Structure formats: structure tokens, C-alpha cells
Amino acid sequence: MRTVIYLGVGILFGIVLFKSEAASWFRIYEMFQFGSFHMYGIIGSAVVIGSVFIQFAKKGKVTSFSGNKINMIPKERGFYRYLLGGIIFGLGWALAGACPGPLFVLAGAGYVPIVIVIIASILGTFLYGLLRDKLPH
């Protein structure tokens, strides 16, 4: 039953992403050109909602779907590693015209070339997993 719930939430999320035009290459291009507030509003809303959720989870007021307590593990500090990661993420976003969230939404909407980006994302994640221990901290 949980799988059906997860599938339903995923489909609903995909519909919202597509209908809000968060998966639109034009909207992303417009954002990077500082031509419209549209995407900044969507991202800002997600940051606010996510921050509120994280605070509730840290206080133990939110549990997972299975009823388990959600544990927040503090991340390592390191300005430059996050700066470099953000630059790489942003370049990938700009090149693909989509952040990782709506990739499957775009594939589901019939944008077949996005499959190349999905495959490259999976291969990049796999490569990072292989090289993770060898990278500088």
C-alpha cells in the first residue's frame, strides 16, 4: 500500500512541476537571465517549506511514512567544497536546461532527448560513488 502512496505522491509532484512550468527550459533560461520572478518564487517557496519541515523533524514532531523518527546528521563544514559542488551543479543545470528534480517529469511529458541527461546523471552519480573516497575532503 505504501508503494501506491509513494507513486501517487510522485505523480502529483510531477504534475505540479509540469503545470507550474518549473520543468520548462524557457522558465529556467528566463531565471538565469533575471528576466522573471517565476522560478525564484517556486524555489523560494520550496526553501521556506523545506526549512519549516526540517525544523519540525529536528524537534521530533515529524516521522517517516513508516513511523520512524527522522534523524538529522550534521554535515561537514567546508565553504570551498560546497562552492565547487554548487558551480558544477549549476553548470549541469544550465547545460541540461533542467535541474535533476524534473528530469523524469520531462521524460514523462514526451521530451525524449532528456533521456540522455538522465543517463548522464546516473553515470555521474555512479562515478562519484567510485571516486568518493579518493576525492579531497
Side-chain angles (χ1 to χ4, degrees):
M1 183 63 184
R2 286 197 181 113
T3 304
V4 174
I5 293 171
Y6 295 146
L7 183 62
V9 169
I11 289 171
L12 180 65
F13 182 65
I15 291 169
V16 168
L17 279 178
F18 192 76
K19 290 295 187 179
S20 69
E21 297 182 338
S24 165
W25 179 87
F26 174 75
R27 289 292 185 185
I28 293 168
Y29 177 76
E30 192 177 51
M31 175 186 69
F32 284 124
Q33 294 288 316
F34 299 104
S36 173
F37 179 75
H38 186 88
M39 287 299 291
Y40 294 111
I42 291 172
I43 293 169
S45 299
V47 167
V48 169
I49 291 168
S51 298
V52 169
F53 176 81
I54 292 295
Q55 293 308 312
F56 278 115
K58 281 183 177 179
K59 292 180 181 178
K61 296 181 180 181
V62 178
T63 60
S64 68
F65 279 119
S66 58
N68 298 329
K69 185 176 185 254
I70 298 173
N71 295 321
M72 300 290 169
I73 300 169
K75 293 190 178 226
E76 293 179 30
R77 303 254 179 201
F79 175 76
Y80 292 108
R81 65 186 281 187
Y82 292 115
L83 179 65
L84 179 61
I87 289 170
I88 293 170
F89 181 82
L91 287 173
W93 192 1
L95 287 171
C99 76
L103 291 182
F104 293 101
V105 173
L106 291 168
Y111 294 95
V112 178
I114 206 71
V115 172
I116 296 168
V117 177
I118 292 171
I119 292 168
S121 299
I122 292 168
L123 288 174
T125 303
F126 179 74
L127 182 63
Y128 172 75
L130 291 176
L131 298 175
R132 181 179 176 182
D133 295 334
K134 296 171 182 70
L135 295 173
H137 295 304

